[in-house]
Amino acid sequence: MSALRTAALRAQAVRASVAPSGARAYATPAAASFSTVDANGIKVAGNDEGARTSSISLIVKAGSRYEPAPGVAHVLSNSLFKATETRSQIRLVRETEALGGVLSSSLSREHLVLTAEFLKGDEAFFAEVLGDALSRAKFLPHEYTEEVVPQVQGEYEQSLRDLNVYAFDLAHQLAFRKGLGNSLFASPHVAVDQHAAVAFAKSAFTPSNVAVLGSNIDAGKLASLVSDFVNLPAGGASSISTSASQYYGGEVRVPASARVERDQLVLAFKGAARSEVDYAVLALLLGGESSVKWGQGASPLSKLARGAASAKAFNLAYSDAGLFGISVSAPTNEVADIATKAVAELKQVAQGVSSDALKQAVNKAKFAAAAALETRVGQVQLVGEQLAVDGQAPSLESVFAKLDKVSVESLAKAAKAALASTPTTVAVGDTHALPCTFGLDSVPAAQPAQY
């Protein structure tokens, strides 16, 4: 389960804009609409696609944004799916494998997600397992010392070796300081007391902080299972609330922890909350990836790619804020040129785009959303997280309706607003050779972070 957690953490750190467009693992036959019901105060959504496999995900408002001390959320995410009052950890592993199921957890800045995937018909057992993880976990001291701490340390060290993950984690720390700026990873330099993680679990695991998403499970049946097995104490979200996100910006240059072939640069700006889609369309308009295997790509940033150098636009949207920008991966001597040209493309969009370019970007956004709903991971990110925030599962039609409202004027306005904000600049690599300017001469100068 450690490898699954690590992969999920890495994916969450750099998730896409409107919806994830990455690997199509765990694909479902169709993007069916989700029905929403209530189960003892817990928001539940499900659909029945007629597939052979099903999944249940618990989306908990317990991401790093809400942690009371650094690293607590990361420790908590690694402390689950172990011994409970119902079964030992070894029994859990044996019974799960006997049924051919898979248990995994992932952590984002706003949510902790526990997922069970299994053959259709085994939903009662796995609903019980998920309920036990939330309400009956023992949090044994020896499990913390012998398993949780090594797992957390391993994931932290892996994040340092992946320059992309490391750079985006630093970018959030600069852009938002606290709250959304809290690191996804517990650092060995700041010890996390197990009691703090247990206390955080008790404050977060309440009905108002939990949403349940079922893939290929009828919503009514899922609600009944949740009522039977997810027994949480009543409580409000005030104990883990946080202040509204505030964007700051800043600059940091960090040497890579090991010799690397390409340096990583993140140029980020103030974005918008998940409910606004202009920045998502803007990111897809700028692009950076080819839609054809052997082609360079027609988007402005994909045309900048050469050899090992590339630039990609991103949009990371949360419940009340967002981070928009450009990520550059290139050999040290090519970073400045690629970044400067990428910023020039963003400035060009701020002056206006053609209706054809807008239509193409909107179509890409629609495809990304539709494709996401055909994967289990995408359903959690597009439907489950909004269910946890708003209490309703969005339909694909409602997503398309929002995208159709994006105009040439609103896109240019979004680009101008981004450029008007203080940049968040993160450079990871050869800091002795990396330049300090990247075409941001007409943008307000970045200020050092103040903590």
Side-chain angles (χ1 to χ4, degrees):
M1 287 185 285
S2 177
L4 288 169
R5 287 193 179 100
T6 302
L9 282 165
R10 288 155 60 87
Q12 287 286 339
V14 291
R15 63 181 180 176
S17 48
V18 174
S21 57
R24 312 239 334 156
Y26 312 123
T28 58
S33 298
F34 286 83
S35 301
T36 306
V37 294
D38 182 270
N40 297 332
I42 298 176
K43 299 173 283 290
V44 177
N47 66 354
D48 193 342
E49 305 157 341
R52 297 289 184 88
T53 64
S54 302
S55 70
I56 301 175
S57 293
L58 306 185
I59 301 97
V60 188
K61 185 180 176 182
S64 59
R65 172 179 185 168
Y66 302 103
E67 62 187 7
V72 171
H74 188 195
V75 168
L76 176 59
S77 72
N78 280 275
S79 299
L80 302 172
F81 291 136
K82 300 191 184 299
T84 68
E85 297 172 6
T86 305
R87 52 177 57 83
S88 65
Q89 184 181 12
I90 187 62
R91 178 184 168 187
L92 170 63
V93 172
R94 287 175 174 173
E95 291 181 346
T96 298
E97 291 187 348
L99 293 173
V102 177
L103 302 176
S104 62
S105 67
S106 64
L107 180 69
S108 70
R109 288 187 152 75
E110 294 193 307
H111 299 102
L112 168 64
V113 180
L114 305 181
T115 297
E117 298 172 87
F118 46 86
L119 292 170
K120 190 174 180 64
D122 294 333
E123 48 268 16
F125 170 79
F126 287 98
E128 179 186 356
V129 166
L130 291 170
D132 287 350
L134 285 193
S135 56
R136 302 179 184 88
K138 286 187 175 181
F139 298 111
L140 298 175
H142 76 271
E143 290 181 339
Y144 175 76
T145 303
E146 298 172 8
E147 298 182 19
V148 175
V149 171
Q151 287 172 353
V152 167
Q153 290 178 344
E155 291 172 358
Y156 170 78
E157 292 169 1
Q158 189 173 1
S159 74
L160 296 183
R161 291 192 293 269
D162 189 322
L163 298 194
N164 194 41
V165 172
Y166 187 34
F168 273 97
D169 202 51
L170 290 173
H172 281 82
Q173 294 178 48
L174 285 174
F176 300 109
R177 313 291 164 82
K178 297 181 180 180
L180 288 177
N182 293 343
S183 175
L184 282 171
F185 305 95
S187 167
H189 305 295
V190 181
V192 177
D193 183 75
Q194 185 190 19
H195 297 292
V198 174
F200 181 49
K202 290 181 178 179
S203 64
F205 296 170
T206 61
S208 61
N209 291 331
V210 178
V212 181
L213 183 70
S215 177
N216 198 34
I217 302 178
D218 175 74
K221 182 176 183 179
L222 181 58
S224 178
L225 292 172
V226 170
S227 298
D228 290 340
F229 297 115
V230 185
N231 301 310
L232 299 175
S238 58
S239 60
I240 60 166
S241 63
T242 185
S243 57
S245 297
Q246 182 176 350
Y247 178 87
Y248 294 92
E251 179 181 345
V252 66
R253 295 157 58 83
V254 182
S257 59
R259 184 176 179 83
V260 294
E261 296 181 357
R262 293 175 293 177
D263 292 344
Q264 189 73 33
L265 173 70
V266 173
L267 299 175
F269 306 92
K270 182 180 180 181
R274 185 185 292 111
S275 58
E276 301 180 35
V277 298
D278 288 282
Y279 284 101
V281 175
L282 178 58
L284 290 169
L285 186 146
L286 290 170
E289 296 186 62
S290 174
S291 299
V292 181
K293 183 176 182 180
W294 302 115
Q296 184 182 28
S299 64
L301 295 191
S302 65
K303 294 178 181 179
L304 300 180
R306 56 174 184 261
S310 64
K312 300 177 183 178
F314 64 86
N315 179 56
L316 304 174
Y318 303 98
S319 60
D320 65 344
L323 199 61
F324 166 83
I326 299 166
S327 172
V328 176
S329 178
T332 304
N333 61 348
E334 298 183 47
V335 170
D337 181 57
I338 294 290
T340 300
K341 291 178 179 178
V343 172
E345 294 292 349
L346 176 58
K347 292 178 180 178
Q348 184 63 43
V349 173
Q351 301 304 312
V353 297
S354 68
S355 57
D356 288 342
L358 170 64
K359 182 178 180 180
Q360 177 177 293
V362 169
N363 285 338
K364 286 184 177 181
K366 288 181 177 180
F367 175 81
L373 285 179
E374 294 180 1
T375 68
R376 298 267 165 80
V377 173
Q379 289 174 357
V380 170
Q381 293 184 5
L382 189 65
V383 178
E385 293 189 4
Q386 188 163 332
L387 174 69
V389 173
D390 301 328
Q392 290 293 325
S395 65
L396 189 59
E397 290 73 18
S398 66
V399 174
F400 279 15
K402 281 187 175 183
L403 292 171
D404 284 332
K405 292 181 180 179
V406 177
S407 65
V408 170
E409 293 75 19
S410 66
L411 213 58
K413 183 178 179 181
K416 289 179 181 178
L419 289 167
S421 65
T422 302
T424 295
T425 307
V426 177
V428 183
D430 186 353
T431 55
H432 294 287
L434 278 172
C436 297
T437 58
F438 308 100
L440 297 173
D441 49 292
S442 61
V443 180
Q447 301 297 319
Q450 301 293 327
Y451 290 92

